[in-house]
């Protein structure tokens, strides 16, 4: 398979046996056929984001906790806080409970295609990768890592009826087969009323981290922020490029003071430098690692109680090993395949003739301080996987 590009879309698994309970939870009617249709292919991951679609029902200005938007209403207009929201709190809770229960069932049943049907956006290629990397550790091919869920809470932005897409966020405790429990922050989205809810992003909070308090109005609804909102220290649409810059340049970069150091910010830079020195000194190869915003993946943001924002976004990391065209000393040299890429590259790919590309899809949740604050942006959660690779 040398020279071929392998990715999470071409490795979707096909087992379809699903218990009746899972079908009922998913709300599937008339399922007399062989199973769900193959999930739609993920959008191609671009090198950089040139434009980011605004989240529906957004609020461009700060909303004090428990208050309505400021400003006079046109005569006869219905205040926004009294309009029926596109997504109610009860509907979001029901959607979350359905997802958590269904996720447990389909993973236990090894119903891989149904596991993918529950996902969308950046979460789908990560889920495909997890199915295969879990099997590579000794489980049956395509068997999803089993999870159990508990202690859930939803955060629902007030969105206008008819808006699209519609979304909400949630937290839950995720326990794996080893008994380890971690807090997860998730987002869910749908095209509109009547469309199925799907898991758009999922990030594990770092140990010891707690999500910031979300500002809600008197009815319990949060305020979504437009990606270009400028009332916070870093606009949500600029957070991804900032994060990418710090990941590549580390503490030496001009933007390093704007984001707190950590394993998935400045820590990446140290890893890149170490790998580059190893590739040049031992393997006679060039190495680069570039981070970019997942251009076709959504950015979701909501106001926090301190006037800042809680932002969910996706980055794509592309790492490249290449032989030197002048020296040619690295051509054909064996270079170990990173563990997380072994579901895409085989023993035949150990030797690099020209280039090796490995791409990761990474999902983050980050706390952004208010505009008046001097505190740095703080990444509080992450989950990612190798989702594409090629070797030639």
């Amino acid at each position: 398979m040398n020279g071929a590009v392998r990715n999470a879309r071409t490795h979707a698994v096909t087992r379809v046996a699903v218990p009746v309970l899972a079908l009922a939870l998913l709300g599937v009617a008339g399922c007399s056929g062989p199973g769900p249709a193959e999930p739609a292919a993920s959008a191609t991951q671009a090198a950089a984001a040139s434009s980011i679609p605004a989240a529906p029902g957004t609020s461009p200005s700060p909303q004090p906790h428990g208050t309505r938007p400021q400003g006079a209403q046109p005569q006869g207009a219905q205040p926004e806080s009294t309009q029926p929201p596109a997504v109610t709190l009860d509907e979001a809770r029901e959607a979350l409970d359905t997802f958590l229960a269904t996720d447990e069932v389909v993973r236990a049943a090894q119903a891989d295609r149904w596991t993918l049907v529950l996902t969308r956006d950046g979460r789908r290629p990560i889920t495909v990768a997890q199915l295969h990397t879990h099997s590579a550790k000794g489980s049956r091919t395509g068997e999803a890592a089993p999870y159990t869920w508990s202690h859930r809470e939803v955060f629902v932005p007030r969105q206008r009826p008819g808006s699209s897409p519609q979304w909400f966020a949630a937290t839950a405790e995720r326990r794996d087969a080893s008994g380890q429990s971690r807090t997860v922050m998730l987002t869910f989205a749908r095209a509109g009323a009547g469309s199925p809810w799907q898991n758009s992003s999922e990030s594990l909070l770092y140990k010891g981290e707690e999500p910031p308090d979300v500002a809600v109005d008197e009815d319990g609804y949060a305020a979504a922020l437009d990606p270009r909102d400028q009332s916070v220290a870093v606009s949500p649409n600029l957070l991804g490029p900032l994060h990418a810059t710090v990941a590549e340049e580390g503490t030496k970069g001009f933007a390093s003071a704007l984001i707190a150091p950590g394993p998935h910010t400045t820590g990446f830079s140290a890893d890149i430098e170490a790998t580059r020195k190893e590739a040049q000194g031992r393997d006679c190869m060039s190495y680069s690692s570039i981070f970019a915003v997942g251009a076709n993946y959504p950015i979701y943001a909501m106001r926090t109680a301190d006037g800042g924002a809680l932002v969910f976004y996706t980055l794509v990391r592309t790492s490249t090993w290449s032989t030197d065209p002048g020296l040619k000393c690295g051509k054909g040299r064996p270079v170990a395949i990173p563990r997380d890429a072994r579901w895409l590259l085989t023993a035949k790919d150990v030797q690099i003739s020209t280039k090796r590309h490995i791409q990761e899809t990474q999902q983050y949740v980050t706390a952004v301080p208010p505009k008046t604050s001097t505190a740095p942006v703080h990444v509080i959660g992450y989950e990612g996987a190798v989702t594409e690779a090629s070797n030639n």
Side-chain angles (χ1 to χ4, degrees):
M1 295 177 68
N2 243 18
V5 176
R6 278 140 281 175
N7 57 46
R9 297 184 293 280
T10 59
H11 279 73
V13 283
T14 57
R15 187 180 293 111
V16 297
V18 183
V20 174
L21 174 58
L23 297 177
L25 288 168
L26 283 167
V28 178
C31 290
S32 58
E38 188 68 29
S42 303
T44 302
Q45 295 153 339
S50 58
S51 62
I52 302 297
T58 56
S59 172
S61 58
Q63 300 299 321
H65 180 78
T67 64
R68 298 178 181 176
Q70 297 179 358
Q73 294 283 345
Q75 186 173 2
Q78 186 180 23
E80 183 178 350
S81 61
T82 64
Q83 292 180 355
V87 184
T88 67
L89 294 169
D90 287 341
E91 183 181 7
R93 293 187 187 104
E94 182 179 2
L96 176 60
D97 288 345
T98 297
F99 168 80
L100 299 182
T102 305
D103 185 72
E104 287 188 15
V105 171
V106 296
R107 286 174 181 270
Q110 303 171 43
D112 314 310
R113 288 175 65 183
W114 285 99
T115 302
L116 297 182
V117 165
L118 298 176
T119 63
R120 59 180 286 157
D121 304 324
R123 187 61 195 168
R124 179 163 292 176
I126 290 175
T127 301
V128 173
Q130 289 176 339
L131 289 172
H132 286 276
T133 54
H134 182 65
S135 68
K137 294 176 182 177
S139 302
R140 290 181 291 274
T141 301
E143 180 184 353
Y147 297 140
T148 55
W149 299 87
S150 61
H151 302 98
R152 69 8 169 208
E153 184 178 4
V154 297
F155 308 94
V156 186
R158 185 181 290 278
Q159 297 160 84
R160 295 183 298 274
S163 59
S164 179
Q166 297 167 358
W167 69 283
F168 69 91
T171 59
E173 292 296 316
R174 192 178 81 180
R175 182 179 297 273
D176 62 23
S178 69
Q180 183 180 25
S181 184
R182 297 281 297 276
T183 300
V184 179
M185 291 212 74
L186 314 95
T187 60
F188 294 86
R190 66 180 182 183
S195 299
W197 287 104
Q198 292 173 298
N199 182 200
S200 177
S201 71
E202 191 170 314
S203 300
L204 290 169
L205 294 189
Y206 300 132
K207 292 182 178 180
E209 290 285 359
E210 294 287 342
D213 292 333
V214 173
V216 296
D217 61 22
E218 61 268 29
D219 298 319
Y221 290 93
L225 300 184
D226 186 277
R228 295 170 179 80
D229 184 277
Q230 298 183 18
S231 66
V232 292
V234 178
S235 297
N237 71 315
L238 298 179
L239 185 54
L242 170 65
H243 190 158
T245 299
V246 174
E248 293 173 14
E249 299 179 356
T251 56
K252 299 177 182 178
F254 74 94
S256 62
L258 298 177
I259 190 166
H264 297 111
T265 55
T266 53
F268 276 133
S269 175
D271 173 73
I272 292 170
E273 185 61 28
T275 305
R276 180 182 293 117
K277 288 180 179 179
E278 183 180 81
Q280 291 174 342
R282 187 189 67 184
D283 302 319
C284 197
M285 292 189 184
S286 298
Y287 173 80
S288 65
S289 193
I290 305 300
F291 290 77
V293 175
N296 295 295
Y297 297 142
I299 295 173
Y300 294 123
M302 60 178 64
R303 181 75 63 193
T304 52
D306 64 357
L310 186 63
V311 185
F312 305 84
Y313 57 100
T314 301
L315 294 182
V316 174
R317 178 186 184 182
T318 304
S319 299
T320 304
W321 291 255
S322 57
T323 59
D324 190 311
L327 297 176
K328 297 187 181 298
C329 57
K331 186 174 182 179
R333 286 206 178 200
V335 178
I337 298 171
R339 180 180 180 85
D340 290 345
R342 292 175 189 170
W343 71 279
L344 290 163
L345 300 176
T346 69
K348 296 179 181 179
D349 298 305
V350 171
Q351 292 183 324
I352 302 175
S353 295
T354 306
K355 286 185 179 181
R356 174 188 291 168
H357 290 289
I358 292 180
Q359 189 173 96
E360 303 169 43
T361 303
Q362 305 175 340
Q363 295 195 307
Y364 292 94
V365 55
T366 295
V368 178
K371 197 177 187 72
T372 56
S373 174
T374 58
V377 167
H378 184 52
V379 177
I380 63 172
Y382 156 88
E383 188 159 69
V386 172
T387 53
E388 187 171 317
S390 65
N391 195 84
N392 51 51

